[in-house]
Amino acid sequence: MRIVNPGFGLVPAGAEQATEGKVDWLNDPIVLFGNSKPNARELLEGVKAKLAGIRRTDNIDFIAKNSASQGAPPEMINDTAKKYRIALLALGD
Amino acid sequence: MSDSADTEILDIADLDQEAWQDYAIEQGWSDGLPLVMPTEASVARMVAAAHGDNEGFAAISPRQVVPTMASLAANAVMAGAKPAYFPTILAGLRGILDPSYNLHGSMATTHSCAPMVMINGPLRQALGVNCSSNCFGQGWRANAGIGRAIQLILLNVGGGKPGVMDRSTQGSPAKYAFCFGENEEESPWLPFHVRRGFAPEDSVVTVMSGEAPHNINDHGSTSAEGLMTTFAHTIAQPGANTVYGKGPYMVVVGPEHAATFHRDGWGVDKLRDELWLRARIPLKHISEENLATYVATGHKPTGDFLTICRGPEDIHISMAGGPGKHSAFIPSFGGTAVVSTRVKLPSAGA
Amino acid sequence: MVGVVIATETFKPLVLAQAKARKVDPHLIVVKHPVGGLNAEELVERIEAAFSGFQQEMNA
């Protein structure tokens, strides 16, 4: 017997593999990107404190989107991508 | 656009009813309830009911694939929907896919939100949508079929598998089906869709990512002022997602409460203004730890209270239900919007 | 730019599925669930795990 697949869908055009360049893990600027959930900032700042033992931290900054339930605004993502080479993101709860 | 790994038509072994249910559950297609088999013929009848609707759909989160009319129809068939419901289902889906609805966030969240679907206009009666007694409950094929079809689309095309992509901590009965009609015939106010700029003869589906309805019981108040006291204090609760103050909420006023408000001269604008001023959470009801997290994300107290939305425009008033002294508060997920979409009726020759 | 994601074990399937849908290969650090609701003392273990994961990414 033949049925219609209720899960069928098409992959949108333009969904291409993202690429990433080489980074200098000891010197490149890092953005700590919080999701506004409780303890996200504390977790990321805690990692930054420990990174002080192995790399420079004067170019590691924290930012956060202002709503846990919505994506970060595109301009925020674009500005961040221009300024930093590495992003450490906190997701989920 | 290219095909995903799946194929649109599946050739499967002949199955009796019981074997079909087992098969469908094994595929992950079910919400737990039995499903109608989406045969090619039944899906074709469903698709025909949307004849002339050639507008495409955006990719559905979280799986991020674009549905076909046939895959959407297959879910409507499985939900037990009649073909006549299909244009309404599609209008609801289009609202959900509006970026302001934030489908991705509402699927990935641990919150219990489900798509609230409210129908206005002449199609309510044509389809037999319940707008009166027990309108949020069981017993009406249109309410159940339309609400369930939308949920199944989000599950099967969108990939919102409970516990995997749908991360809700406890879920909600509203995730089976949450569809009702506005009781325009008994409402003292203009229909919801007309207040949003649609024509009275339009049929419109309004969606919001919301919690299941919270009851507002008030048998004793005999004035609008008295009712507002109960409404405001029921709505101003620290445990609903409205506590973040960044999204809309819906108040579905029951007809007897609506009659009292109307008799005392309270229209929709007055209700919204009064709720904006009075439905605020006293700070003494909010833990210090919680308040600190709200303030950190820019949601600061107003005096001794925390507001639960951004202004009167975030407060949506509709009227539904039957006899009795009950109304309902539907808090939203927060980062979402109330989206209304006109139903495209099939063109002639369908 | 290189993105490194910290998620709790509960959210790992969601992150991986989302990455697949968007055709990205995430640098993922998984820590125990939850992070929210922990006091400062409880959070120390999560910070240690996240830091350890980040070090592995640096050395990969």
Side-chain angles (χ1 to χ4, degrees), chain B residues 62-63 104 108 110 164-165 167, chain C residues 10-11 13-14 17-18 21-22:
Chain B
R63 190 163 152 240
H104 182 81
T110 50
V164 183
M165 300 284 248
R167 297 302 319 174
Chain C
T10 299
F11 281 82
L14 179 67
Q18 281 301 289
R22 288 171 166 75

Side-chain angles (χ1 to χ4, degrees), chain A:
Chain A
M1 63 195 307
R2 284 158 62 90
I3 63 170
V4 177
N5 182 356
F8 181 74
L10 300 164
V11 178
E16 291 160 1
Q17 175 80 47
T19 56
E20 54 189 29
K22 271 198 166 289
V23 297
D24 178 347
W25 290 96
L26 297 180
N27 292 295
D28 277 346
I30 299 177
V31 61
L32 308 172
F33 207 111
N35 65 350
S36 294
K37 286 282 188 161
N39 273 341
R41 178 167 196 155
E42 287 77 3
L43 175 71
L44 292 169
E45 295 282 11
V47 173
K48 177 181 176 180
K50 295 188 78 68
L51 282 173
I54 57 172
R55 61 153 283 162
R56 60 181 287 204
T57 56
D58 59 324
N59 60 352
I60 301 180
D61 303 317
F62 175 85
I63 63 167
K65 59 193 180 107
N66 77 349
S67 168
S69 62
Q70 290 181 305
E75 55 273 21
M76 184 180 192
I77 294 172
N78 290 337
D79 290 349
T80 303
K82 281 179 196 161
K83 192 171 173 188
Y84 300 95
R85 296 281 299 130
I86 302 165
L88 181 58
L89 303 94
L91 296 186
D93 288 5

